[in-house]
Amino acid sequence: MPTPEPAATEAVVYYNSACPVCDAGIRGQRDRMQGCAIEWRDVHAEPELAAQLGIDIEALRERLHVRDASGRMLVGDQAFAALWAATPGQRPLARLVRSMHWLAGPLYKVLARLLYRWNRWRGNW
């Protein structure tokens, strides 16, 4: 009997485990998404990902990035919306964020910038 092929990756999530808030959020999201074909890449443990992706390492540290199944790179609120859309029980959140991108996008950028500065101040990277 042939061995089944592994599931194709639906998305690749690039997150920063050096940020305690981000790390806790990703751990919770991973638990909710068990069984989904998601690849989780920690940019703190793998800083060379920045060069491979052609993205500034500080940008990867500051904001969540998700490469979807079609190859698009989603950042910030749109990255969260992509994860939530693939998570049972969180799909309404994805619809809300996508429909209110005009508010969610700027709000995410402000919060991400503050969190990034807080982490730099604490010496997390």
Side-chain angles (χ1 to χ4, degrees):
M1 183 173 206
T3 305
E5 291 289 321
T9 300
E10 293 173 11
V12 181
V13 178
Y14 301 94
Y15 69 97
N16 184 4
S17 69
C19 168
V21 174
C22 307
D23 190 47
I26 289 296
R27 278 188 278 122
Q29 193 64 38
R30 285 178 85 157
D31 288 346
R32 286 185 289 278
M33 296 185 82
Q34 286 183 6
C36 293
I38 304 290
E39 183 179 349
W40 304 89
R41 305 291 300 267
D42 178 1
V43 300
H44 180 68
E46 301 178 80
E48 66 278 4
L49 288 170
Q52 292 171 11
L53 296 167
I55 300 172
D56 178 71
I57 185 64
E58 299 307 318
L60 275 175
R61 287 178 174 150
E62 182 177 290
R63 298 183 185 159
L64 181 69
H65 288 67
V66 172
R67 182 176 305 279
D68 69 11
S70 70
R72 283 183 311 159
M73 185 65 78
L74 305 168
V75 181
D77 66 306
Q78 295 303 297
F80 273 107
L83 288 178
W84 292 335
T87 308
Q90 291 187 317
R91 291 182 181 111
L93 282 173
R95 285 191 295 276
L96 179 65
V97 166
R98 286 177 174 153
S99 70
M100 296 189 65
H101 178 64
W102 57 271
L103 177 62
L107 183 60
Y108 177 88
K109 287 177 186 174
V110 168
L111 292 174
R113 173 55 45 159
L114 290 172
L115 192 55
Y116 173 83
R117 288 182 177 169
W118 175 74
N119 277 289
R120 293 284 301 214
W121 176 78
R122 290 188 67 212
N124 289 339
W125 58 81

